[in-house]
Amino acid sequence: MMDFELNEDQRAFADTASQFATESLLPNAAKWDEECHFPKDVLRQAGDIGFLSLYTPEEQGGLGLSRLDASIVFEQLSMGCTSTTAFMTIHNMVTWMVASFADDAARHRFVRKLISGEWLGSYCLTEPNAGSDAASLTTNASLEGDYYVLNGAKTFISGAGDTEVLVVMARTGEVGAKGISAFVLDADSEGISFGRKEPKMGWNSNPQERLL
């Protein structure tokens, strides 16, 4: 017989997330949506609890949870504000990727601030003509001297224009998914510009914009 009951740790995670959702998200969700407000202050509070680094490795300062454990937390948070929780899932991907795969210099620069929520991150994959199909994206990165130069456009990027860190998927090699690399950038890097915020029916506490 399989036991699908939550264990003691999972129940504790769920209870903490439920309390945060009830106290910090739910009372504000309708107003945030109506005013298209991106609640950075509350996201930083979530960082203080560990909700912005759920499956980031412990050796990098995260909680090191499994994806299942993280989904239990997100389920409870979404009961308070679905769109704000959706952004937290994006930010968790950014924090995990930088902590797990970046070099030491990038980890030192970005990870601590991403974990705390001092800096918020956007995951930049989706493109106007490729959607979220990584194998079809056309944004490219070419090595010029000691630096890569990125060219392309992204669309429907959660938090873009309001976040400090971008993880951008760009083509550095062959056609298809194997030719894709990920770059971590300061959002105010030279040459980056942002288009208008996408008009949406709801989910307005999680802004989405074009990234050029």
Side-chain angles (χ1 to χ4, degrees):
M1 295 291 291
M2 295 292 293
D3 181 6
F4 293 102
E5 292 294 324
L6 300 183
N7 61 39
E8 184 176 348
D9 287 342
Q10 290 170 332
R11 287 194 295 271
F13 297 145
D15 289 344
T16 301
S18 178
Q19 181 179 356
F20 185 81
T22 300
E23 295 177 356
S24 300
L25 300 181
L26 185 60
N28 303 300
K31 183 178 180 181
W32 291 342
D33 188 71
E34 180 181 0
E35 298 179 355
C36 299
H37 175 65
F38 186 45
K40 285 190 170 184
D41 54 339
V42 176
L43 289 168
R44 292 189 182 99
Q45 293 172 21
D48 291 339
I49 302 173
F51 292 157
L52 300 185
S53 56
L54 290 171
Y55 46 86
T56 295
E58 289 183 87
E59 57 267 28
Q60 297 299 326
L63 295 185
L65 302 184
S66 68
R67 294 303 179 100
L68 173 60
D69 291 343
S71 71
I72 292 169
V73 172
F74 291 139
E75 179 183 38
Q76 294 299 321
L77 292 174
S78 67
M79 295 181 190
C81 181
T82 304
S83 65
T84 302
T85 302
F87 176 78
M88 290 190 209
T89 69
I90 298 294
H91 181 92
N92 267 271
M93 287 196 297
V94 170
T95 308
W96 168 75
M97 288 181 71
V98 177
S100 299
F101 303 110
D103 61 23
D104 289 340
R107 287 174 178 170
H108 179 75
R109 174 168 174 73
F110 292 106
V111 171
R112 180 182 60 81
K113 291 184 177 181
L114 287 168
I115 285 174
S116 69
E118 181 180 350
W119 286 354
L120 298 174
S122 293
Y123 180 89
C124 307
L125 170 64
T126 305
E127 293 187 1
N129 297 315
S132 297
D133 177 12
S136 299
L137 67 81
T138 58
T139 296
N140 65 83
S142 57
L143 185 60
E144 298 186 9
D146 295 329
Y147 300 94
Y148 277 93
V149 176
L150 278 68
N151 287 286
K154 302 292 182 177
T155 191
F156 216 67
I157 302 302
S158 293
D162 290 289
T163 54
E164 291 76 27
V165 180
L166 308 173
V167 168
V168 181
M169 269 51 74
R171 187 169 301 283
T172 54
E174 63 188 85
V175 174
K178 290 184 178 180
I180 306 303
S181 299
F183 296 84
V184 57
L185 311 172
D186 291 296
D188 61 357
S189 296
E190 182 180 357
I192 294 175
S193 62
F194 300 93
R196 69 184 179 96
K197 289 185 178 180
E198 298 285 352
K200 298 179 294 181
M201 297 177 65
W203 281 43
N204 289 311
S205 73
N206 179 0
Q208 269 107 15
E209 294 190 16
R210 286 177 61 92
L211 173 66
L212 307 172

